[in-house]
Amino acid sequence: MKKLIQEYLLQYLMITAGAILAAFALEEFLVPNTVLDGGITGISIILNQLTLQPISIFIVVLNLPFLLLGFRQLGKRFFVSGIYGMVIFTVFLEVFAEFQNATSSELLAVVFGGVSLGVGVGLVLRSGGCLDGSEVVAMIVSKRTNFSTGQVIFGINVVIYVAAGFLFGWDRAMYSLLTYFISFKVIDMVEEGLEQAKAAMIITDHSGLLADMIYQRLGRTCTILEGEGLISGKKVVLYCVLTRLEINELKRIIKEYDGSAFVTISDVSEIIGRHIKSSSGAPEQEEPA
């Protein structure tokens, strides 16, 4: 119990630190120089510039419906951590709005804002949280189309940056696009892989129970393989493909139902052939006949 409490404290401490850093990046570097982030946050910045209303209001109003969708797609823990991260994020947006801007140089704002934003968002994602509802939108769209989640997110951001070009000038759009690429790469390093699809191989003595729980709580099917250890003898190997947002929940399932299981998680760079998409949008393998 004590260890579980410590894990939760560490998780929410990282979400808190990441949300604060992301808020600092927006208010001290990006917003004052009309440089946009992607997703719902980017739309919120546009509305802030057009209406002069606090950006935090738009972030809450626009993100809340998608977090509710995320509750259906990814479960209660994702929803709670998402709400918590958003509250910290919006509160500190208001706090940092009162500070003097860090710089008026667009280049410095792009570089340091992009890096700070990437580190902040990466910490939140690594802890199983989320600051932007566009990822949930992308998962839902991906489920109904042949586009991957990453492609949908990139398409959403392109539309936002084109809109920024028409509204604020094409130099703002180019600065914003550059910021997006910087933060994307930094998130990749902090979160240890931004690939939308992850492959998990689970060597377990409780294959039926784990496969059932993974299906019930994540909507993922598992391919069941037979294996044999040099010392341990006959083993069952579960193979499943899921999204990075579901990794933390997968770890919880394994810890709850088979703490002795051996698990490896790796990036999936490409999937070829027939596949299934579950409710959260990542490709899955077909079950063998």
Side-chain angles (χ1 to χ4, degrees):
M1 183 66 180
K2 183 178 179 181
K3 187 176 180 181
L4 183 62
I5 293 174
Q6 289 175 342
E7 289 178 0
Y8 274 110
L9 287 175
L10 180 60
Q11 175 189 3
Y12 283 92
L13 180 63
M14 290 182 66
I15 291 175
T16 301
I20 292 173
L21 189 55
F24 179 81
L26 282 180
E27 284 292 352
E28 300 307 306
F29 290 107
L30 303 184
V31 174
N33 292 283
T34 322
V35 177
L36 275 65
D37 184 22
I40 301 299
T41 305
I43 297 173
S44 300
I45 294 174
I46 291 176
L47 294 174
N48 164 260
Q49 296 291 329
L50 294 177
T51 65
L52 301 181
Q53 296 300 312
I55 188 174
S56 56
I57 293 177
F58 297 115
I59 286 178
V60 171
V61 171
L62 296 177
N63 269 310
L64 191 56
F66 302 117
L67 283 177
L68 292 172
L69 286 175
F71 174 76
R72 296 180 58 190
Q73 300 289 329
L74 298 170
K76 180 180 177 180
R77 285 192 176 95
F78 173 80
F79 178 74
V80 172
S81 60
I83 289 291
Y84 175 80
M86 181 189 297
V87 169
I88 299 297
F89 186 48
T90 53
V91 166
F92 277 89
L93 281 173
E94 291 300 311
V95 171
F96 291 130
E98 304 299 321
F99 287 23
Q100 183 177 358
N101 302 335
T103 180
S104 59
S105 167
E106 288 91 348
L107 183 58
L108 291 176
V110 166
V111 174
F112 285 94
V115 170
S116 301
L117 184 65
V119 172
V121 174
L123 287 174
V124 173
L125 291 175
R126 186 172 179 175
S127 304
C130 183
L131 295 181
D132 196 293
S134 61
E135 291 197 349
V136 179
V137 177
M139 288 179 184
I140 296 171
V141 173
S142 177
K143 176 184 174 182
R144 292 168 170 78
T145 68
N146 292 323
F147 295 105
S148 70
T149 307
Q151 289 171 330
V152 175
I153 290 174
F154 182 74
I156 292 171
N157 289 339
V158 167
V159 172
I160 292 171
Y161 296 142
V162 169
F166 282 110
L167 293 171
F168 310 120
W170 293 105
D171 60 333
R172 302 297 103 182
M174 289 186 283
Y175 279 131
S176 300
L177 187 60
L178 181 57
T179 303
Y180 170 72
F181 283 120
I182 292 173
S183 62
F184 184 93
K185 296 306 295 182
V186 174
I187 291 171
D188 190 33
M189 291 185 289
V190 174
E191 208 261 330
E192 296 182 346
L194 193 63
E195 295 294 333
Q196 297 299 324
K198 300 280 188 179
M201 295 194 71
I202 308 163
I203 302 174
T204 176
D205 293 321
H206 305 282
S207 58
L209 177 60
L210 281 183
D212 286 343
M213 295 311 301
I214 289 169
Y215 182 73
Q216 288 179 28
R217 286 164 60 171
L218 294 176
R220 300 293 178 187
T221 58
C222 295
T223 296
I224 301 177
L225 309 172
E226 292 184 357
E228 184 172 353
L230 180 63
I231 298 174
S232 57
K234 295 287 185 181
K235 289 287 183 180
V236 174
V237 181
L238 299 180
Y239 178 84
C240 63
V241 178
L242 59 165
T243 70
R244 58 185 170 80
L245 289 175
E246 295 165 327
I247 294 297
N248 282 288
E249 184 65 16
L250 176 68
K251 292 177 181 177
R252 294 187 188 102
I253 292 171
I254 294 168
K255 185 175 180 179
E256 287 176 26
Y257 296 98
D258 187 5
S260 63
F262 180 80
V263 185
T264 62
I265 298 173
S266 57
D267 293 333
V268 177
S269 60
E270 186 175 5
I271 298 174
I272 300 173
R274 192 168 170 227
H275 63 269
I276 304 170
K277 287 183 180 178
S278 77
S279 58
S280 56
E284 288 192 11
Q285 69 284 352
E286 283 280 5
E287 284 283 5

